[in-house]
Amino acid sequence: MPELPEVEVVRRGLERWVAGRTVGAVEVLHPRAVRRHPAGAADFAARLTGETIGVPQRRGKYLWLPLEGRDLSVLGHLGMSGQLLVQPEEAADEKHLRIRVRFEDAAGTELRFVDQRTFGGLSLHENTPDGLPDVIAHIARDPLDPLFDEAAYHAALRAKRTTVKRALLDQSLISGVGNIYADEALWRARLHYERATATLTRPRSAELLGHVRDVMNAALDVGGTSFDSLYVNVNGESGYFDRSLDAYGREDEPCRRCGTPMRRRPWMNRSSYFCPRCQRPPRVAS
DNA sequence: AGATCGCCCTGCTTGC
DNA sequence: TGCAAGCAGGGCGATC
């Protein structure tokens, strides 16, 4: 389940292994992997061929490869199970290989998009004047972005009539936070997921944002979270941050602060993990 | 018009 | 043992 830290690890891998290389051939093995490319698989392959990859960029969970000398980018999202692998050309195809990008140089490696559940994909888009693929212009800056507008974020939280976990997952307010890191940050901040954002004081909301950053930075240091073999970084190495999770996936296990058994509650077609003692529900549940 | 919810997808796990 | 249901969940688009 790649979230911001995992995607950043992938971006760094692409910067190291793919930037500056010119595309020789593109093979789309599953149409769903390019479903966000409206003109279809053949158009995607044809337009990408011959282009040179610039420095990979990221916002939240999206990453994109600018094409040198063009106002175009290859936009990528890993979805639930996507991987971008740099593999030797002779390596056997992965079972869920969806897209293969070969290069003109003689480095002997190719870029592969592998995705079991096909929630992710690649597509080509024109850039906005500030170099962002146009279809993600609505995605807010993420908390690790130096230009993230903290004051505007706190003001938006106070103004909205919503609950704190919904706000954390709202990619138009803050991007890059998924279910795992939302639960982790809420646990660290001792906040219940249904707490109304309008009741958060500025210091409380700043504290929560600090925990979001801490959790993400900790994951980045270790190279991403992994629960199974699904998440692999750009060179095929798994991350091992999962041992450090304090909330997510810990139903019935003791809270690491107070020992109370952690709980799981269905929430928005997914789950919320929390400590019933440290994270008291708001008096008026929504 | 902003908020909410269903759906997309596959493989592993769970339960009968 | 075998089958089916449950579960994982980001983001888009339909709906209210």
Side-chain angles (χ1 to χ4, degrees):
Chain A
M1 302 148 214
E3 294 192 35
L4 186 153
E6 290 83 356
V7 177
E8 173 60 17
V9 169
V10 170
R11 192 204 64 77
R12 291 175 186 178
L14 293 173
E15 182 169 357
R16 168 72 180 80
W17 298 104
V18 172
R21 302 179 73 182
T22 298
V23 175
V26 177
E27 200 180 338
V28 177
L29 294 101
H30 196 304
R32 199 174 137 79
V34 292
R35 70 190 180 286
R36 289 195 76 183
H37 187 80
D43 181 84
F44 175 82
R47 289 176 67 193
L48 186 50
T49 301
E51 301 290 347
T52 300
I53 308 294
V55 176
Q57 308 289 312
R58 182 191 56 73
R59 174 175 288 195
K61 291 174 243 186
Y62 282 95
L63 61 82
W64 66 97
L65 312 175
L67 301 180
E68 284 185 3
R70 310 254 183 197
D71 289 322
L72 275 180
S73 295
V74 180
L75 179 66
H77 197 291
L78 300 178
M80 284 292 299
S81 54
Q83 308 167 25
L84 279 164
L85 307 177
V86 175
Q87 295 280 51
E89 290 167 353
E90 66 272 17
D93 287 1
E94 291 75 10
K95 182 178 180 185
H96 301 292
L97 176 63
R98 308 303 190 195
I99 300 171
R100 184 203 319 277
V101 178
R102 292 198 170 94
F103 298 99
E104 285 183 349
D105 56 69
T109 60
E110 60 187 30
L111 177 65
R112 298 180 181 181
F113 179 72
V114 177
D115 191 8
Q116 175 200 109
R117 277 173 257 189
T118 68
F119 274 55
L122 303 181
S123 47
L124 270 171
H125 301 280
E126 299 199 3
N127 298 335
T128 62
D130 52 346
L132 196 71
D134 54 13
V135 294
I136 61 162
H138 65 291
I139 301 288
R141 292 184 185 275
D142 61 64
L144 300 189
D145 187 330
L147 296 181
F148 180 80
D149 190 339
E150 197 160 334
Y153 178 66
H154 294 306
L157 283 194
R158 294 279 297 175
K160 279 203 170 267
R161 283 186 291 277
T162 188
T163 51
V164 65
K165 187 169 173 180
R166 283 175 193 274
L168 282 175
L169 296 182
D170 185 340
Q171 306 291 303
S172 69
L173 290 177
I174 184 171
S175 68
V177 185
N179 201 41
I180 298 170
Y181 294 129
D183 281 0
E184 292 300 307
L186 289 169
W187 181 84
R188 290 186 180 208
R190 305 184 194 218
L191 282 171
H192 190 274
Y193 58 95
E194 286 194 319
R195 174 76 174 266
T197 57
T199 68
L200 291 180
T201 62
R202 168 70 186 251
R204 203 80 174 87
S205 139
E207 184 196 344
L208 175 61
L209 184 59
H211 287 305
V212 170
R213 289 191 171 119
D214 288 349
V215 167
M216 288 184 168
N217 280 320
L220 253 184
D221 288 345
V222 188
T225 299
S226 177
F227 300 96
D228 48 38
S229 60
L230 281 182
Y231 169 70
V232 187
N233 76 16
V234 76
N235 287 313
E237 253 172 66
S238 294
Y240 293 100
F241 185 59
D242 54 313
R243 290 156 204 256
S244 309
L245 295 179
D246 292 312
Y248 187 85
R250 299 198 66 245
E251 184 180 18
D252 295 334
E253 292 175 49
C255 169
R256 294 197 212 276
R257 264 193 309 256
C258 74
T260 305
M262 300 285 290
R263 288 193 184 154
R264 177 174 72 92
R265 287 283 177 274
W267 184 86
M268 296 273 290
N269 285 329
R270 30 184 78 87
S271 295
S272 276
Y273 295 88
F274 67 106
C275 169
R277 185 172 174 191
C278 297
Q279 299 166 267
R280 294 293 173 88
R283 246 174 282 148
V284 183
S286 56

